[in-house]
Amino acid sequence: MSHVFHRSLNQGYPTAVKGDGPYLIDSQGRRYLDASGGAAVSCLGHSDAQVIEAIQQQVSTLAYAHTSFFTNEPMEELADFLIARAPEGLKSVYFVSGGSEAIEAALKLARQYFIEIGQPQRTHLIARRQSYHGNTLGALATGGNAWRRKQFEPLLIDVSHVAPCYAYREQKDGESAEGLGIRLAAELEAEILRLGAENVMAFVAEPVVGATLGAVPAVTGYFRRIREVCQRYGVLLILDEVMCGMGRTGTLFAAEQEGVTADLITIAKGLGAGYQPIGATLVSAKIHNAIASGSGFFQHGHTYIGHATACAAALAVQKAIEERNLLPRVCSLGEGLRERLLERFAAHPNIGDIRGRGLFQGLELVADRESKKAFDPALKLNVRIKQAAMEQGLMCYPMAGTVDGQEGDHILLAPPFILEETHLDEIVQKLEIAVHSVLNRIYKEPTTCRSGRDSAL
């Protein structure tokens, strides 16, 4: 019996004992192709010698020094590296241990900024429905994932939520993609005015929505309009790139592809590629300077911020990505993965949408393509597909609640940047077997919400 308080207390887990490039190996010798990067984390796979050497060297020199007493060289160098490549206007980096902490830091920085400049009445946050920003209470309140929020609702601060830029379900009949972006920007503006523009602190959004929607990019022009709305009313823009950033969509920062910058950008996951736990909040000059010329002190902190070993690992990861020219490879591999997914699934009666950017791709499952009707949540389609994929030696990231937090299922793919073309074939072949095996079983069950096209399976 395990004494670990596992994520699920009602299932067993294979024991991972070794990494080999894009594969994980369990204690029984079974190999699993990591097509999800764990949770969009392992961009360099699981056995990168350059990163391992950097960690070993740092530990042998200085593992950790508390940042209330010291700075450290890898933290300073990593901050320089990131700011030199960040979108315009970003000046400094606050290092934490993961994505939820990065969001919490961003929210507190936004609040303190307005206190420092004499606008303490700005307390309202606006985010989007069907978003995910982390599991700590502030991040959970900001996110629009209804299932994750529900039981903790009494503990959460009040955050307004507007519609996501989710073209597959939000775009109206006869509405262009541009029209969708215009309408959603107007919805944000209306919510700012409803709350009182002088009372709104920040708008928070993922450039490409990850866990809750499954690799949903915004329509062209949406974020430029959102940025304009925020600037018009003095509202800070916080971009959550914890999952979609650090090269995952083909550029180091996902915001680059939207042609915008932000007041605060959060990163994690691919920053350290899983070799060490690390996240960060990138801070604009406007916010940095307001605090520096005011109180001079950010009233926040965690024990392991700026952890020397974690920063050394992340710096090695980012240097490896740049030196090996992996970002163009993310684009080409992403195109290859998308082509294969379209070839296998575009005509499938139970795949409603295939979307994404770079090596961040999603498939939305539906009971009926024409009506976009979701499968009955009681079927636990996402759980069954994950299990079936693991049986095939494939790690993928299926999730439920895609439509509204209750209904809907999608599969997220976020494999390492180091794949070969043969790995793309392996991913799609194994995924097809897993999806078909689960759907075949479901369609044989007595009562299911389904399209009735059994012959297509």
Side-chain angles (χ1 to χ4, degrees):
M1 176 182 174
S2 174
H3 293 286
V4 174
F5 199 108
H6 285 289
R7 285 174 176 256
S8 173
L9 303 181
N10 299 313
Q11 74 172 74
Y13 295 90
T15 300
V17 296
K18 187 178 180 181
D20 180 18
Y23 293 90
L24 282 170
I25 303 168
D26 71 15
S27 56
Q28 304 302 310
R30 293 202 64 196
R31 295 170 65 86
Y32 303 84
L33 178 56
D34 188 356
S36 61
V41 172
S42 302
C43 55
L44 290 183
H46 299 280
S47 58
D48 191 281
Q50 181 177 336
V51 179
I52 293 168
E53 182 180 0
I55 294 169
Q56 291 171 335
Q57 183 175 349
Q58 185 61 44
V59 169
S60 70
T61 305
L62 172 71
Y64 165 75
H66 197 282
T67 53
S68 67
F69 298 95
F70 297 97
T71 187
N72 62 74
E73 291 176 345
M75 177 171 65
E76 295 287 350
E77 190 176 349
L78 179 58
D80 290 346
F81 183 100
L82 292 170
I83 291 301
R85 293 155 180 79
E88 182 182 0
L90 294 164
K91 181 177 182 177
S92 55
V93 187
Y94 188 86
F95 289 107
V96 292
S97 298
S100 295
E101 286 185 14
I103 287 289
E104 294 286 340
L107 300 180
K108 286 188 173 181
L109 279 163
R111 172 61 181 158
Q112 186 166 336
Y113 165 74
F114 284 114
I115 292 173
E116 300 274 2
I117 66 169
Q119 297 181 33
Q121 80 284 355
R122 287 190 185 258
T123 58
H124 286 292
L125 284 167
I126 304 174
R128 302 189 296 184
R129 296 189 297 275
Q130 292 306 93
S131 59
Y132 178 63
H133 298 295
N135 264 331
T136 50
L137 290 177
L140 188 62
T142 305
N145 186 306
W147 173 76
R148 294 178 193 265
R149 290 168 54 94
K150 187 175 181 180
Q151 67 177 325
F152 303 108
E153 204 82 49
L155 307 179
L156 304 182
I157 59 172
D158 186 25
V159 176
S160 297
H161 290 93
V162 295
C165 194
Y166 178 17
Y168 177 63
R169 292 192 180 272
E170 293 290 337
Q171 193 168 339
K172 297 179 179 179
D173 291 341
E175 184 177 50
S176 66
E178 182 182 20
L180 172 63
I182 292 170
R183 176 167 61 83
L184 295 180
E187 181 183 344
L188 173 60
E189 183 171 24
E191 184 62 13
I192 290 172
L193 295 174
R194 185 187 73 81
L195 294 167
E198 72 282 3
N199 300 319
V200 179
M201 184 171 74
F203 176 64
V204 187
E206 301 159 271
V208 182
V209 185
T212 300
L213 284 185
V216 172
V219 297
T220 301
Y222 167 82
F223 273 103
R224 287 195 296 273
R225 293 186 177 91
I226 290 297
R227 181 63 169 163
E228 290 167 4
V229 169
C230 289
Q231 288 178 321
R232 190 177 308 145
Y233 297 104
V235 174
L236 298 180
L237 176 61
I238 301 174
L239 292 181
D240 179 352
E241 297 202 7
V242 166
M243 187 170 261
C244 65
M246 296 291 95
R248 174 57 57 191
T249 62
T251 51
L252 190 60
F253 293 89
E256 296 176 49
Q257 296 174 56
E258 305 299 341
V260 299
T261 187
D263 299 291
L264 296 155
I265 296 180
T266 61
I267 55 176
K269 296 189 184 291
L271 174 60
Y275 287 90
Q276 288 281 285
I278 188 169
T281 303
L282 281 77
V283 186
S284 67
K286 176 173 72 174
I287 295 173
H288 175 278
N289 294 343
I291 296 175
S293 62
S295 68
F297 175 73
F298 178 32
Q299 192 176 326
H300 183 56
H302 297 282
T303 300
Y304 295 114
I305 63 175
H307 193 283
T309 306
C311 288
L315 183 61
V317 167
Q318 297 309 313
K319 285 183 175 180
I321 290 171
E322 185 166 277
E323 291 165 3
R324 299 174 200 173
N325 202 28
L326 290 181
L327 295 187
R329 187 165 178 78
V330 169
C331 295
S332 61
L333 285 169
E335 290 174 7
L337 178 57
R338 182 172 178 80
E339 287 171 3
R340 288 163 172 82
L341 291 171
L342 289 169
E343 180 183 348
R344 296 293 182 95
F345 294 108
H348 194 290
N350 298 114
I351 302 295
D353 191 33
I354 300 171
R355 66 264 187 145
R357 286 185 186 161
L359 284 175
F360 201 44
Q361 299 289 325
L363 300 87
E364 185 163 339
L365 294 111
V366 291
D368 179 67
R369 280 170 59 118
E370 187 174 347
S371 67
K372 302 181 183 179
K373 184 175 180 63
F375 281 95
D376 183 347
L379 293 169
K380 298 187 181 300
L381 185 61
N382 64 304
V383 175
R384 295 163 79 162
I385 288 175
K386 181 178 180 180
Q387 181 179 356
M390 284 289 281
E391 290 170 359
Q392 293 297 319
L394 180 72
M395 295 164 59
C396 61
Y397 196 134
M399 287 291 292
T402 313
V403 178
D404 57 7
Q406 297 296 323
E407 294 193 346
D409 298 273
H410 67 262
I411 301 166
L412 183 64
L413 300 174
F417 303 170
I418 59 169
L419 295 186
E420 302 294 339
E421 293 285 330
T422 54
H423 293 128
L424 301 180
D425 294 326
E426 184 179 348
I427 289 170
V428 177
Q429 288 167 3
K430 289 183 173 181
L431 183 62
E432 183 180 37
I433 292 169
V435 169
H436 283 193
S437 67
V438 170
L439 291 175
N440 277 329
R441 288 195 296 271
I442 284 175
Y443 275 79
K444 291 175 183 177
E445 293 172 0
T447 55
T448 59
C449 172
R450 57 188 179 87
S451 66
R453 300 180 188 176
D454 303 60
S455 61
L457 301 175

